Amino acid sequence: VLRGDLASLGVGGYSLSAERIRKQGFAATQFEVHIEAADKPHRHLKHIREIIEKGRLPDLVRQRAMAIFTKLAEAEADAHGTSVEKVHFHEVGAIDSIVDIVGACILLEALDPARVVISSLNLGSGTVKCAHGEMPVPAPATAKLLEGVPVFSRGEPMERTTPTGAALARVFASEFGTIPPGVIVRTGYGLGDADTELANVLQGTLLEEADLETGDAHLGRRGEGRRHRH
């Protein structure tokens, strides 16, 4: 499903791999986008929209992907004092970022949760180098995207939530908070590239929500029951 839907975008020059790796005490999945050809360095929001609209994607996948890119453009425009139309998607416009964002939307739709609860986000600290030079952590666009979101800073100085990650969280989250009561169905771990003193993994838990009064779990997917992704 993932490969087929991404192929419909007509963006070539990449391949995908997903490998189970044991690292820092976790057996986690490392998903990677391997770039095989040079990509255009800059794209505007209208170019991203054209790519997404021509793809054979479910409506909700298309809507979420465009919402993520739009939020990124709005945050960048606000942070750098320009308009959404003039924002150049530097790293975000590259093949790997298009695949990352649209791919995440495809997989969330495949899980089909009733709602998504995301925990507080670790922003990190220090500075980060990007297309605009050296920026404080959180980067201006990240800070804008996470207004109203619970955050904290822990670990060695580095960027631990990127603008892309922040935009994904804002669009995917039904709410931010602790894991709701329920019955755990399955838990998975996604592995990041950087080696840090904190385990560089993203934990995802699929659960069936429990009725607080009866303790019974409600089975089903979106529209049929209350399945959650935390």
Side-chain angles (χ1 to χ4, degrees):
V1 171
L2 178 64
R3 293 181 187 276
D5 285 358
L6 286 174
S8 75
L9 298 177
V11 177
Y14 73 91
S15 62
L16 306 177
S17 69
E19 183 180 3
R20 293 282 289 175
I21 294 177
R22 179 174 172 79
K23 190 174 184 181
Q24 292 180 296
F26 286 87
T29 300
Q30 187 167 51
F31 176 87
E32 292 187 294
V33 181
H34 306 279
I35 303 301
E36 301 169 349
D39 188 32
K40 294 181 180 179
H42 306 299
R43 286 190 177 96
H44 291 90
L45 185 60
K46 66 178 182 180
H47 302 132
I48 303 294
R49 182 180 292 108
E50 290 169 0
I51 291 172
I52 292 174
E53 287 182 348
K54 73 180 180 182
R56 294 186 300 275
L57 303 172
D59 288 342
L60 190 53
V61 171
R62 187 179 291 108
Q63 291 168 14
R64 282 174 173 155
M66 274 311 306
I68 291 166
F69 278 107
T70 300
K71 282 188 176 295
L72 279 166
E74 292 171 345
E76 290 285 353
D78 182 82
H80 303 295
T82 185
S83 66
V84 170
E85 293 75 19
K86 292 181 179 179
V87 169
H88 282 104
F89 286 97
H90 303 285
E91 295 87 350
V92 175
I95 291 175
D96 55 344
S97 293
I98 293 173
V99 173
D100 282 344
I101 290 172
V102 178
C105 294
I106 292 168
L107 293 177
L108 182 64
E109 177 65 4
L111 282 174
D112 193 22
R115 65 186 175 112
V116 177
V117 182
I118 295 179
S119 60
S120 299
L121 300 177
N122 186 1
L123 299 184
S125 61
T127 62
V128 61
K129 292 182 179 180
C130 62
H132 297 284
E134 191 164 355
M135 296 280 183
V137 172
T142 302
K144 182 66 179 178
L145 284 161
L146 296 181
E147 289 179 354
V149 173
V151 299
F152 64 97
S153 176
R154 184 177 301 153
E156 296 176 353
M158 64 176 291
E159 183 182 45
R160 296 181 184 269
T161 299
T162 65
T164 299
L168 284 165
R170 285 309 299 257
V171 172
F172 286 177
S174 306
E175 62 187 88
F176 290 86
T178 57
I179 192 168
V183 178
I184 292 178
V185 177
R186 191 169 183 179
T187 298
Y189 300 91
L191 182 67
D193 289 326
D195 292 324
T196 71
E197 82 291 0
L198 299 178
N200 188 10
V201 297
L202 177 66
Q203 182 186 58
T205 299
L206 188 67
L207 60 93
E208 304 289 357
E209 183 180 36
D211 189 302
L212 294 178
E213 296 182 358
T214 67
D216 294 334
H218 294 270
L219 302 178
R221 291 177 175 264
R222 186 178 60 235
E224 300 176 358
R226 294 183 285 181
R227 172 167 289 193
H228 305 281
R229 179 77 157 74
H230 182 267

